[in-house]
Amino acid sequence: MTLIPMLLLSGFALAQSAQVDSLRGADVDELVPLDQVHKNVEGRMQRNYRQQPPLIPHSVEQYQIDVRTNQCLSCHDWTKAGERNAPTLSMTHYLDREGRELDRIAGTRYFCNQCHVPQADAPALVDNVFQPSSGN
């Protein structure tokens, strides 16, 4: 019975003595301004593989996307994209689970930031040997 608390305490002591290097260059409780972590890249970046969701070529820092509001749709919905000079959502975003066409975005595609992320000039946190396909 006394072995378990002893093992736990020795594990805690080892964890305390180990030096942990942060990938973001700051302690966990240290505030780091977002613009020092990465910078948004304006303009469109090339996709790295076929069927990659497009990256967002502008800041979405103040965009509201929740069950009541999706600010992306104010420009990218098919009803507004032409007048806003924005890319229209893919037709796949207007199909329900059974493949039926809808007049509004499908609930399964409503939360844009599940697949799409802002472009960023960010340093790699780990080594990456991925090679994009040649058929971009």
Side-chain angles (χ1 to χ4, degrees):
M1 283 299 222
T2 59
L3 182 59
I4 292 174
M6 222 164 75
L7 288 174
L8 289 173
L9 285 174
S10 64
F12 180 73
L14 283 173
Q16 292 294 327
S17 66
Q19 180 63 32
V20 176
D21 294 326
S22 168
L23 292 174
R24 68 187 197 125
D27 288 336
V28 172
D29 58 348
E30 184 180 342
L31 294 177
V32 177
L34 187 60
D35 63 347
Q36 290 181 13
V37 176
H38 70 79
K39 300 206 181 313
N40 284 344
V41 176
E42 297 292 327
R44 296 185 149 244
M45 292 176 72
Q46 187 175 8
R47 297 184 201 189
N48 292 312
Y49 56 91
R50 199 172 158 269
Q51 301 296 326
Q52 174 188 353
L55 298 172
I56 304 170
H58 56 77
S59 175
V60 294
E61 190 173 332
Q62 301 296 322
Y63 278 40
Q64 182 178 352
I65 303 173
D66 56 37
V67 294
R68 294 187 184 134
T69 304
N70 182 329
Q71 206 164 351
C72 301
L73 298 178
S74 63
C75 290
H76 295 284
D77 188 51
W78 70 270
T79 60
K80 298 179 180 93
E83 67 189 48
R84 303 284 175 112
N85 199 24
T88 307
L89 298 175
S90 163
M91 212 38 229
T92 60
H93 289 60
Y94 298 95
L95 300 175
D96 68 9
R97 291 177 191 225
E98 286 75 43
R100 293 182 297 247
E101 288 187 22
L102 307 170
D103 287 334
R104 56 181 166 47
I105 190 168
T108 55
R109 300 291 187 110
Y110 183 81
F111 294 98
C112 306
N113 51 3
Q114 285 182 318
C115 298
H116 304 278
V117 296
Q119 299 173 155
D121 182 19
L125 295 177
V126 295
D127 288 334
N128 183 358
V129 295
F130 177 79
Q131 296 293 320
S133 65
S134 58
N136 289 343

